[in-house]
Amino acid sequence: MDRSAEFRRWKAQCLSKADLSRKGSVDEDVAEIVQLLNGQEQFFTTSSCSGRIILLDGSISGFEVQKQNCCWLLVTHKPCIKEDVIVALKNANGDAVLKFEPLVLHIQCRQLQDAQILHSVAIDSGFRNSGITVGKRGKTVLAVRSTHGLEVPLSHKGKLMVTEDYIDFLLKIANQKMEENKKRIERFYNCLQHALERQTIIKSYPKEKVNEKNNSYSHKKKRNREKARDRRITEENDKELEEDGGPGVSAAVFPGDD
């Protein structure tokens, strides 16, 4: 099976599977991007999250929350208010942690050059932690990620360790990050549209026109170089005349008939 056929098979299998995420559907803020990508023959999304504020209750190992062994007290993809967090904290028995997680998007690409185009789109949109991985079977995946996250412990063994004013302060920061994340998502969508349009134009543009345009550009560039050289020679001649004491008379001598 050739690579293109295998990629189409992978895509069909992935998009036909049920959504196993906690929410069970694509987040509203990233739905247009997912739809646009999956509508292209060279891409398909394997997972996505538009960004969220979450409150986890569990245990902290080192400096990281162990998600697999914790209870999700609160999850929202929209700005959050203090009252919601305070109510959720009443159900905390372990180490409750407030987190903001920005957009995460995984896209499988047909070829490495397709992934490189998307990587440029991601970087230009502010998702500077994005990267490309190539698996042993040739699967090329772009992960769109950002670094502007937030993770702060609020309680230990069920006991609240901070004040309500501090929680309010943290939520202001988290909501600001959520707003910035939304702006980056919008930039990503716009940059992605422009990148796909450029690719379409390049593919559909006749090769003869491209060569003609390149030749025209080369001739124009050559003419400009010649004009610049002539102008430089003229300036050097004028300078030499000035150094000789002023304007002189130049004469061309031709051989005589005798």
Side-chain angles (χ1 to χ4, degrees), residues 200-231:
T200 302
I201 291 171
I202 291 171
K203 288 179 181 178
S204 63
Y205 209 79
K207 290 184 178 179
E208 293 80 5
K209 291 289 184 181
V210 173
N211 292 334
E212 181 181 331
K213 185 177 180 181
N214 289 338
N215 290 336
S216 175
Y217 174 75
S218 297
H219 291 320
K220 184 177 180 181
K221 191 174 181 181
K222 184 178 179 181
R223 287 197 303 270
N224 289 339
R225 284 201 304 266
E226 290 173 351
K227 288 180 180 178
R229 184 192 60 195
D230 293 340
R231 187 166 53 249

Side-chain angles (χ1 to χ4, degrees), residues 8-78:
R8 289 195 295 270
R9 181 175 61 83
W10 286 337
K11 181 173 182 176
Q13 287 178 346
C14 181
L15 298 184
S16 64
K17 291 179 181 178
D19 192 327
L20 299 179
S21 64
R22 214 171 259 274
K23 184 181 177 183
S25 62
V26 176
D27 297 336
E28 179 183 348
D29 287 341
V30 79
E32 285 187 322
I33 292 176
V34 170
Q35 185 177 5
L36 180 58
L37 287 167
N38 289 335
Q40 309 299 313
E41 62 180 7
Q42 68 270 40
F43 307 119
F44 67 91
T45 57
T46 59
S47 66
S48 65
C49 177
S50 65
R52 61 193 178 184
I53 296 173
I54 56 179
L55 183 65
L56 302 174
D57 183 34
S59 59
I60 301 176
S61 177
F63 294 99
E64 295 185 353
V65 179
Q66 303 300 304
K67 287 186 179 179
Q68 65 272 22
N69 299 318
C70 67
C71 175
W72 296 61
L73 301 176
L74 176 68
V75 183
T76 178
H77 298 274
K78 303 294 182 182

